[in-house]
Amino acid sequence: MGCCQSSFLKPSSLHDKKIPSDDISGRRGKGAKRGNRHRHPNVNEGRGWLFSAVPDFSEFSASVLRDATNNFNKNAVVSVCSDQEPNVVYQGCIKSDKDKRLIAVKKFSKTTWPDPKQFAAEARAIGNLRHVRLVNLIGYCCDGDERLLVSEYMPNQSLTKHLFHWEKQTMEWAMRLRVALYVAEALEYCRQSGLKLYHDLNTCRVLFDENGSPRLSCFGWMKNSKDGKNFSTNLAYTPPEYLRSESVVFSFGTFLLDLLSGKHIPPSHAVDTIQKQNLIVLMDSHLEGNYPEEDAAMVFDLASKCLHNNPNERPEIRDIISVIATLQQKLDVPSYTMLGISKLEKLEMERPKSLIYDACHQKDLEALHQILEAMEYKEDEVTCELSFQQWAQQIKDVCNTRQQGDSAFRNKNFESAIEKYTQFIETGIMISPTVYARRSMCYLFCDQPDAALRDAMQAQCVYSDWPTAFYLQAVALSKLNMVEDSANMLKEALILEDKRGS
C-alpha cells in the first residue's frame, strides 16, 4: 500500500421588448445558428425537479447534530463567509445502520432567533423546497438555545474559491454562463414558490456539488430575526428600495459583475462600476480574451438593466433566464471537467470526509498547510526515536533547529523551512514523520512535486499507517499529472483514516 512499495468589445443592447413568460425555455431567436449552442435541457422543465436522493425535511435533536459535528468542533467549520455574516457553517456526518450522510449545519445564536416557533416556521417554509439547482434544506433544530439549519453538503467548495482564489486554472467563460443560468433558475423556482427575497446573494452562496454543478444555498432565504423583526444579514446586497420592494434582480446584477470581472465588486460600488467602466476594462484579464465579445456585451447589458435605479425598469428573473439560456456553450461538457476537478462517486459521498481529505481532493495547499500546522507533533509520540546515548546539548541543538523550521513553516517562509528541516533530518539524532510531512508541504508550495513525493514516502516509511503521508503523496502525484495514481492514493488514505476512526 502506498508509494513506498511501488516504483517510481463592442456593447450591444438587449431587446427592450419583454419576452413572454411561456418563452423561458431558452429557444433562440435571431442568430440561433451562432456557435455550437442549443437549448439547455433543464431550462423550465417544470417546478421542482424532485429527486429521491434528498431526504424528507425533518426536525433534528441537538444531540444528534452535536455528534454529527464532533460537538461543533472548530476543525469542522467549512464556511465563515464575511465579517457581516456572524453565523458559522459546519460539516457533519449523520450515521445510521444503512448509510452515512454528509450534512452542512448552520448555527445561529439564540439572540438572533429568540422565538423558536418563528424559527421553526421559517425553516419549514424553506424545507418544502426541492430543486436540483438548490442546496436543499433537510432539517432544523431549535432545542433549548440551539438554532440550527441542516442542509445537503456540497463537497466542491464555493464560487468564491473557484472564481477569486483559484490556483490551477481560472473559471472559463462557458462555466461562468452556466453558473449564472443555474442561479437564475433557482431564484425563479423559489419566486414561483412564494420566496421572493434572497438575502446576501453573492459568490459565497453558490456551492458546487459532487458533479461540479453550481447550486444556490438555501440558507439565503432564511431571514435573520431580532426582537421579532426580520432583517437582512447584510443590507449591502439588497436593492436601494429594499424597504418597499422584494426584488432580487438588483443583487443578481452585482452577481453578474463578479462573474464578468473575476473580482468581488462591493455592491455599494456596483452602479458606479457599470456606469463608469466599459466592457473591455471590466472583463477578467485571466480569461485572456477567450470569450465571444458579443455574448459578454449581452451579459454586461443585462447587468446594467438589473442595476437600474428604477426597479420598474429592471427585467424579471424569467426574462433573465431567457437571455442567459441562449448564450450557453459546451452543454455536453460536465461541470466538473470545466472546473478541472474530479467527479466524486456516490460511494465516496456517503463516506464521511475529513478536512485533510477535502483539502487534498481540492489540491488546496493553503488549507493543507493550516492542517499540518495544527497537527503539531502529535503523530510523533509513537515514532520519535533518539539515538543511543546522545549528548543532551546535541539534542537541544537539534530541537532548536526543528523549532526554527517550524517558525519558518508557520510564517510560510518555505525555503527557509526546507533548509532548517533538512539540517534536522541530516543529523540523524531524531526521526520525525511530521518533519518529513512538513518539508513535503514546503516543496509543494515551492513547486517541487518530485521532492514533495519523496518526503511523503519517507514519512510513510517511518510511520507506515499514517494517513497524512498518503494524502501528501496523492497531492504530489496530482502535481506530477499522475492523475490515476493520485486518485488511488487518495482512496488508500481515506481507507486508512476510516480504520483509524473505527
Side-chain angles (χ1 to χ4, degrees):
M1 180 184 291
C3 281
C4 273
Q5 300 177 8
S6 61
S7 61
F8 236 101
L9 183 155
K10 176 183 176 184
S12 62
S13 297
L14 295 174
H15 297 296
D16 292 329
K17 180 181 178 181
K18 292 283 185 179
I19 301 173
S21 60
D22 59 354
D23 195 18
I24 308 175
S25 62
R27 62 175 176 85
R28 294 193 61 81
K30 183 178 179 181
K33 295 182 180 180
R34 177 166 53 90
N36 62 341
R37 304 169 184 145
H38 50 83
R39 176 180 177 273
H40 194 280
N42 286 330
V43 178
N44 198 40
E45 291 184 1
R47 293 175 55 190
W49 284 308
L50 300 175
F51 43 96
S52 59
V54 183
D56 293 335
F57 184 79
S58 60
E59 182 176 3
F60 290 90
S61 68
S63 60
V64 167
L65 297 182
R66 288 194 193 99
D67 289 343
T69 58
N70 194 16
N71 199 26
F72 300 105
N73 192 295
K74 64 179 181 179
N75 290 329
V77 173
V78 293
S79 175
V80 181
C81 193
S82 67
D83 294 338
Q84 293 85 9
E85 178 67 60
N87 309 305
V88 181
V89 180
Y90 298 83
Q91 176 187 345
C93 179
I94 294 179
K95 304 176 183 179
S96 66
D97 295 337
K98 296 181 179 180
D99 63 4
K100 303 172 183 176
R101 173 174 291 277
L102 291 180
I103 58 172
V105 182
K106 183 164 185 175
K107 187 179 179 69
F108 296 83
S109 66
K110 183 184 177 182
T111 56
T112 303
W113 282 96
D115 184 353
K117 292 183 180 179
Q118 185 184 13
F119 180 82
E122 292 278 352
R124 290 192 192 102
I126 301 168
N128 289 328
L129 304 176
R130 284 293 180 269
H131 199 289
V132 74
R133 301 290 181 247
L134 294 178
V135 182
N136 293 283
L137 197 66
I138 60 178
Y140 76 100
C141 169
C142 52
D143 282 359
D145 292 342
E146 296 290 5
R147 302 292 183 267
L148 306 167
L149 294 180
V150 184
S151 78
E152 298 175 282
Y153 177 71
M154 299 290 106
N156 282 313
Q157 301 185 320
S158 70
L159 180 59
T160 299
K161 168 70 177 178
H162 290 284
L163 188 61
F164 304 144
H165 306 301
W166 53 273
E167 294 175 359
K168 187 176 179 182
Q169 66 182 48
T170 189
M171 181 177 287
E172 63 177 280
W173 177 249
M175 190 63 196
R176 298 183 196 211
L177 290 175
R178 186 174 295 184
V179 169
L181 177 63
Y182 284 17
V183 170
E185 288 176 347
L187 292 171
E188 174 62 9
Y189 163 71
C190 292
R191 186 196 66 80
Q192 294 177 12
S193 302
L195 295 175
K196 297 179 180 179
L197 182 60
Y198 189 92
H199 301 278
D200 307 353
L201 178 59
N202 58 66
T203 56
C204 290
R205 298 290 196 183
V206 180
L207 306 169
F208 293 88
D209 63 18
E210 66 274 17
N211 298 312
S213 294
R215 300 217 217 160
L216 186 61
S217 171
C218 58
F219 295 148
W221 274 283
M222 189 73 173
K223 304 181 185 75
N224 274 359
S225 176
K226 191 173 184 179
D227 300 327
K229 297 180 180 180
N230 294 324
F231 68 98
S232 175
T233 56
N234 186 355
L235 291 174
Y237 286 96
T238 60
E241 72 287 353
Y242 168 68
L243 294 177
R244 62 179 185 276
S245 171
E246 292 189 343
S247 171
V248 297
V249 175
F250 181 90
S251 298
F252 191 79
T254 67
F255 182 73
L256 288 179
L257 288 186
D258 287 356
L259 290 173
L260 286 169
S261 66
K263 305 180 188 69
H264 172 59
I265 298 176
S268 57
H269 297 167
V271 175
D272 284 344
T273 299
I274 206 76
Q275 291 176 347
K276 296 179 181 179
Q277 289 191 12
N278 61 38
L279 179 59
I280 296 175
V281 174
L282 180 69
M283 286 301 295
D284 188 353
S285 60
H286 293 107
L287 288 170
E288 298 179 340
N290 293 320
Y291 56 88
E293 291 185 6
E294 183 181 352
D295 292 6
M298 289 184 69
V299 178
F300 183 85
D301 199 34
L302 182 59
S304 298
K305 290 182 179 294
C306 291
L307 295 170
H308 201 288
N309 286 326
N310 184 351
N312 295 325
E313 296 296 322
R314 297 174 193 153
E316 300 288 341
I317 288 291
R318 60 177 179 267
D319 299 333
I320 292 172
I321 292 174
S322 296
V323 173
I324 298 177
T326 65
L327 304 179
Q328 296 301 302
Q329 303 173 357
K330 298 187 176 182
L331 299 185
D332 297 328
V333 179
S335 294
Y336 62 85
T337 299
M338 285 200 279
L339 286 178
I341 61 176
S342 301
K343 180 181 179 181
L344 292 177
E345 301 298 331
K346 186 174 186 295
L347 178 63
E348 288 186 298
M349 285 300 297
E350 290 177 348
R351 185 183 291 131
K353 303 295 188 306
S354 63
L355 290 179
I356 190 170
Y357 176 93
D358 287 340
C360 292
H361 179 263
Q362 298 294 335
K363 306 172 188 63
D364 189 341
L365 298 186
E366 293 289 342
L368 193 52
H369 174 264
Q370 293 177 9
I371 292 167
L372 284 180
E373 184 182 345
M375 280 183 182
E376 297 181 339
Y377 285 87
K378 298 173 184 176
E379 300 294 344
D380 285 21
E381 294 176 0
V382 295
T383 60
C384 185
E385 301 175 3
L386 297 179
S387 61
F388 183 64
Q389 292 181 340
Q390 293 294 330
W391 292 101
Q393 186 58 45
Q394 287 180 301
I395 297 173
K396 183 178 179 181
D397 291 343
V398 169
C399 289
N400 286 338
T401 301
R402 189 182 72 177
Q403 289 173 359
Q404 292 170 5
D406 291 341
S407 178
F409 182 82
R410 184 166 51 252
N411 294 321
K412 299 184 179 181
N413 187 351
F414 297 115
E415 292 183 356
S416 177
I418 289 172
E419 179 184 352
K420 293 301 179 181
Y421 286 146
T422 300
Q423 292 177 16
F424 171 87
I425 291 169
E426 288 179 348
T427 64
I429 293 177
M430 299 176 70
I431 302 173
S432 168
T434 302
V435 167
Y436 280 116
R438 290 191 170 195
R439 193 171 72 168
S440 174
M441 185 79 252
C442 293
Y443 280 130
L444 286 171
F445 271 103
C446 293
D447 198 24
Q448 300 180 53
D450 282 311
L453 180 60
R454 285 195 297 270
D455 271 0
M457 291 165 61
Q458 286 294 334
Q460 180 194 342
C461 289
V462 176
Y463 189 173
S464 61
D465 294 329
W466 192 26
T468 301
F470 288 78
Y471 280 126
L472 287 168
Q473 289 178 55
V475 177
L477 288 166
S478 174
K479 294 290 184 182
L480 291 167
N481 294 320
M482 301 171 68
V483 178
E484 186 175 352
D485 290 336
S486 173
N488 290 334
M489 190 62 63
L490 198 61
K491 290 178 181 178
E492 289 190 42
L494 189 59
I495 291 170
L496 280 176
E497 195 170 23
D498 280 351
K499 287 182 179 178
R500 271 185 125 191
S502 37

